[in-house]
Amino acid sequence: MKSQKEFDAIGHQLVTSIEAVRRTGIEVVEIGRGSCKLKMPLEGNVNHVNMMYAGSLFALAELMGGAVFFGAFDAAKFYPVIVEMNIKYARPALTDITTEYSLSDAEIARIHAEMDDRGKCIYILEQELKDANGDVVAITNGVYQGRSNKL
Amino acid sequence: MKSQKEFDAIGHQLVTSIEAVRRTGIEVVEIGRGSCKLKMPLEGNVNHVNMMYAGSLFALAELMGGAVFFGAFDAAKFYPVIVEMNIKYARPALTDITTEYSLSDAEIARIHAEMDDRGKCIYILEQELKDANGDVVAITNGVYQGRSNKL
């Protein structure tokens, strides 16, 4: 089990290692074993009519696939890639936007075993992105593949 | 019919009016009546393993919905919103990436008539994002709604 200090280091890496992600100002609110809460600030991410830009909402959801993965598995042995993502925009995003996700213990065990056995494993995250009032602004379905470095 | 100078002004507006889009360095290669070619530079948009970041590929495809709309309709009367987007990642993007799209005359006429009659109209763009070798790196399906300001 990783320490909170290790989880915080993973979170820092997550929002700084890709320049285009860092530019959005996205923040890790909480991170643990296979679980994470992320926040996209409205400031710096508005469109021409002062709602959150569609691409920043996408970036918020997309990053979760890495966040829960690196919080659950050993980055020296495994890495994730994105296969497909769908995003439905439900209402204008007028505040900072958050999303949270937890892989269950059973899902962590399944992904780990398949990556060990077959070198790769599909995992799917369904997320609801919410504004400061708790209203859903977007719904996403992301398909990722976890891979073993030995593949 | 707009002049090329007007189209170029639309293109400039397209890549500068949303800060998060401007930050990517995306370029308008060509723009005309309902047609556009866009380029996302690899530089500034790489991920931690030096391929183009998934979110920058999304941004490239997403922007096309506005590009072809503003190249076809009067921005004083109509505006587009994104409803839903799906993106499938086909292979690593290791060069600058381009996409081009043209609305047919019939599609422009359909969207214009529906926006005039009903105040809104759904339009769908299917795109193939290509690398410098012409290989497809991602396939997108974007659902947009054109709206009349009078709605």
Side-chain angles (χ1 to χ4, degrees):
Chain A
M1 183 68 179
K2 296 181 178 86
S3 67
Q4 192 55 49
K5 198 173 163 185
E6 289 173 291
F7 285 127
D8 291 343
I10 291 168
H12 179 74
Q13 184 79 0
L14 193 73
V15 295
T16 57
S17 67
I18 300 176
E19 184 188 332
V21 171
R22 188 180 48 72
R23 290 191 300 242
T24 66
I26 192 171
E27 295 166 36
V28 175
V29 180
E30 294 170 16
I31 185 164
R33 179 174 178 267
S35 72
C36 190
K37 180 175 181 177
L38 296 169
K39 180 168 81 173
M40 182 63 78
L42 184 63
E43 190 183 341
N45 291 291
V46 290
N47 64 15
H48 52 300
V49 289
N50 285 312
M51 306 184 307
M52 191 175 286
Y53 161 58
S56 296
L57 290 166
F58 175 92
L60 174 63
E62 197 280 326
L63 196 64
M64 186 64 85
V68 296
F69 189 91
F70 289 119
F73 307 112
D74 181 351
K77 293 183 184 167
F78 306 109
Y79 65 98
V81 296
I82 183 161
V83 176
E84 183 170 356
M85 172 81 86
N86 193 80
I87 182 164
K88 289 191 180 97
Y89 297 92
R91 77 179 69 213
L94 304 171
T95 70
D96 294 350
I97 303 297
T98 58
T99 179
E100 27 192 333
Y101 201 88
S102 278
L103 294 173
S104 67
D105 289 346
E107 182 69 346
I108 290 173
R110 179 188 75 84
I111 299 167
H112 193 265
E114 273 197 42
M115 290 193 300
D116 254 349
D117 290 351
R118 303 180 202 173
K120 54 191 179 181
C121 180
I122 291 287
Y123 64 102
I124 294 173
L125 305 190
E126 294 182 347
Q127 295 176 75
E128 290 184 335
L129 279 48
K130 292 181 180 173
D131 68 15
N133 301 316
D135 289 326
V136 175
V137 299
I139 297 165
T140 65
N141 184 295
V143 181
Y144 301 82
Q145 188 182 64
R147 293 184 183 171
S148 167
N149 285 330
K150 287 184 280 182
L151 182 63
Chain B
M1 183 69 178
K2 295 182 179 87
S3 67
Q4 191 55 50
K5 198 174 163 186
E6 288 173 292
F7 284 127
D8 292 343
I10 291 167
H12 179 74
Q13 185 78 359
L14 194 73
V15 295
T16 57
S17 67
I18 300 175
E19 184 188 333
V21 171
R22 188 179 48 71
R23 288 190 300 243
T24 66
I26 192 172
E27 294 166 36
V28 175
V29 180
E30 293 169 17
I31 185 164
R33 178 172 178 267
S35 72
C36 190
K37 181 174 181 178
L38 295 169
K39 180 167 81 173
M40 182 65 77
L42 184 63
E43 190 183 341
N45 290 291
V46 291
N47 64 15
H48 52 300
V49 288
N50 285 312
M51 305 185 308
M52 192 176 285
Y53 161 58
S56 297
L57 290 166
F58 176 91
L60 174 63
E62 197 280 326
L63 195 64
M64 187 63 85
V68 297
F69 188 90
F70 288 119
F73 307 111
D74 182 350
K77 292 184 184 167
F78 306 109
Y79 66 97
V81 297
I82 185 161
V83 175
E84 183 169 356
M85 172 80 88
N86 193 79
I87 182 164
K88 290 190 179 98
Y89 297 92
R91 77 178 69 212
L94 304 171
T95 70
D96 294 350
I97 302 297
T98 57
T99 179
E100 23 193 337
Y101 201 87
S102 278
L103 294 173
S104 67
D105 288 345
E107 182 70 345
I108 290 173
R110 179 187 74 84
I111 299 167
H112 193 264
E114 274 197 42
M115 289 193 301
D116 253 350
D117 290 353
R118 302 181 202 172
K120 56 191 178 180
C121 178
I122 290 288
Y123 63 101
I124 294 174
L125 305 191
E126 294 183 346
Q127 295 176 75
E128 290 184 336
L129 279 48
K130 293 181 179 173
D131 68 14
N133 302 315
D135 290 327
V136 175
V137 300
I139 297 165
T140 64
N141 186 295
V143 181
Y144 300 82
Q145 189 181 62
R147 293 185 184 172
S148 167
N149 284 331
K150 287 186 281 183
L151 183 62

